[in-house]
């Protein structure tokens, strides 16, 4: 008797078209059952930010604030309908989207022309922290927002030479990461570098707590599960690296997962920390079980490199590609 065939991966729930250039960033806003259907923001190579209604599957607004230069990162703020967009024009724009407005409230001039996406830590309603690539190629600048006050510049020690920061992840360390001189939770920053290493910075101390060699190629994307103090990174190479953080702020590689083809542009853990998704240069979206790293699905829909992935609060997955399409998926729904 023949063995049963493995189930075929699903098709997208639907596809968004109309960006007319490669999609480099996607980000959901809203989307819990109480809030109704979420909006999706997408950033394109042509410099436009499209705001999509997932009910009508059409754009409801288009933001043009980056002078035709590629949009590389999008993030909403928790204190209301405000959006951050980062572009290759060296501007990080803060948009007011309240009551139908689509206006730039403020902007931060960036001093690095690299592809490193910024990161925010928004614990309070009024003040938030922003990490951006710094003036020198190996630096990260930390700003307090919205005042744009410089908190510090994080520059690797002279003998480290990790190259450029490629991806950033700010998060709030819990009590396990406190010390007697400076008690209480503290802001920490994970940085994936050009040399394939991942480093943990203590922003209050302005120092590297730990650095590990994860990849032989530049780190292109990383995400971190602060509850499990475990993270994942992908690179231009053929492996995903899973690493953990102990109570002494030491990073340690747990294991690596070999891929069929090289090149991971983005990686994201779903908010419920059950699954994760990767965006591949090989046109594929890969889904893994987060605890075991068991491969669950390979989604072969796009006809060019997948540049970005994002999860909504309700678990919906969006992927943006060089093929100018955004695929929306409903996978392994939360129970």
């Amino acid at each position: 008797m023949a063995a049963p065939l493995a189930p075929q991966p699903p098709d997208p729930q639907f596809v968004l078209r109309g960006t007319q250039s490669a999609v480099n960033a996607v980000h959901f806003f809203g989307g819990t059952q109480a809030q109704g259907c979420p909006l999706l923001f997408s950033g394109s190579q042509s410099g436009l930010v499209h705001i999509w209604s997932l009910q009508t599957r059409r754009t409801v607004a288009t933001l043009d604030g980056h002078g035709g230069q590629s949009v590389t990162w999008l993030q909403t703020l928790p204190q209301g309908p405000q959006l951050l967009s980062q572009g290759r024009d060296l501007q990080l724009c803060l948009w007011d989207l309240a009551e139908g407005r689509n206006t730039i409230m403020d902007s931060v001039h960036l001093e690095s022309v690299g592809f490193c996406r910024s990161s925010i830590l928004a614990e309070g309603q009024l003040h938030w922290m922003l990490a951006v690539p710094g003036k020198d190629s190996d630096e990260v600048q930390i700003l307090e927002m919205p005042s744009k006050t410089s908190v510090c510049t994080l520059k690797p020690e002279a003998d480290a030479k990790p190259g450029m920061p490629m991806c950033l992840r700010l998060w709030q360390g819990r009590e396990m990461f406190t010390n007697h001189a400076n008690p209480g939770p503290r802001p920490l920053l994970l940085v994936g570098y050009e040399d394939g290493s991942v480093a943990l910075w203590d922003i209050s101390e302005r120092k590297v707590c730990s650095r590990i060699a994860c990849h032989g190629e530049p780190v292109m994307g990383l995400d971190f599960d602060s509850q499990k103090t475990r993270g994942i990174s992908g690179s231009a190479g053929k492996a995903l690296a899973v690493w953990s953080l102990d109570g002494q702020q030491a990073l340690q590689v747990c294991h690596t997962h070999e891929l069929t083809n090289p090149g991971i542009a983005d990686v994201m853990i779903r908010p419920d920390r059950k699954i994760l998704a990767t965006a591949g240069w090989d046109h594929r979206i890969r889904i893994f079980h987060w605890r075991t790293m068991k491969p669950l699905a390979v989604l072969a829909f796009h006809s060019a490199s997948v540049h970005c992935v994002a999860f909504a609060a309700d678990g919906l997955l969006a992927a943006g590609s060089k093929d100018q399409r955004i695929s929306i998926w409903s996978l392994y729904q939360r129970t």
Side-chain angles (χ1 to χ4, degrees), residues 6-263:
Q8 291 298 306
D11 292 326
Q13 193 167 358
F14 55 89
V15 179
L16 304 175
R17 296 176 173 86
T19 61
Q20 298 179 335
S21 68
V23 180
N24 294 330
V26 285
H27 178 71
F28 283 101
F29 176 63
T32 62
Q33 289 183 345
Q35 294 168 317
C37 202
L39 294 171
L40 178 72
F41 298 94
S42 69
S44 71
Q45 191 168 326
S46 62
L48 300 178
V49 176
H50 293 90
I51 305 177
W52 303 85
S53 164
L54 299 186
Q55 284 181 313
T56 64
R57 303 176 188 180
R58 297 179 183 275
T59 55
V60 295
T62 302
L63 312 180
D64 186 0
H66 291 283
Q69 298 292 305
S70 182
V71 176
T72 58
W73 178 69
L74 297 167
Q75 177 70 51
T76 47
L77 297 181
Q79 57 262 44
Q82 296 178 7
L83 173 72
L84 285 164
S85 64
Q86 178 181 342
R88 293 277 288 172
D89 60 342
L90 301 182
Q91 294 297 316
L92 197 151
C93 298
L94 176 60
W95 300 84
D96 177 10
L97 305 179
E99 299 172 349
R101 292 189 291 272
N102 297 310
T103 55
I104 296 176
M105 301 166 57
D106 202 354
S107 64
V108 175
H109 178 71
L110 305 177
E111 297 186 275
S112 170
V113 77
F115 287 97
C116 182
R117 297 168 179 171
S118 300
S119 180
I120 66 166
L121 177 61
E123 289 295 310
Q125 292 291 309
L126 298 177
H127 301 284
W128 41 285
M129 189 173 282
L130 173 69
V132 298
K135 185 175 182 180
D136 287 351
S137 63
D138 60 353
E139 291 180 349
V140 178
Q141 183 78 25
I142 306 295
L143 302 173
E144 185 184 275
M145 299 293 288
S147 67
K148 296 188 267 191
T149 305
S150 177
V151 175
C152 62
T153 299
L154 304 178
K155 186 174 179 66
E157 53 275 27
D159 59 345
K161 295 183 171 41
M164 293 187 295
M166 304 295 292
C167 43
L168 309 173
R169 178 69 156 77
L170 275 169
W171 61 288
Q172 188 79 10
R174 302 198 303 269
E175 282 69 15
M176 64 182 286
F177 298 107
T178 64
N179 62 28
H180 298 297
N182 193 356
R186 53 210 293 113
L188 301 169
L189 175 70
L190 286 158
V191 184
Y193 283 101
E194 188 180 7
D195 70 348
S197 66
V198 172
L200 175 71
W201 287 86
D202 185 320
I203 292 170
S204 304
E205 301 282 334
R206 276 75 160 158
K207 70 173 186 179
V208 173
C209 304
S210 178
R211 183 194 306 277
I212 47 169
C214 292
H215 305 276
E217 300 281 347
V219 181
M220 304 302 293
L222 63 79
D223 202 3
F224 185 68
D225 179 347
S226 59
Q227 290 196 10
K228 294 186 174 76
T229 58
R230 200 166 72 117
I232 185 165
S233 53
S235 76
K238 291 180 68 172
L240 292 169
V242 178
W243 30 270
S244 62
L245 188 59
D246 66 20
Q248 281 69 53
Q249 298 182 324
L251 290 165
Q252 179 178 340
V253 176
C254 303
H255 60 271
T256 57
H257 180 88
E258 289 294 318
L259 300 169
T260 306
N261 301 309

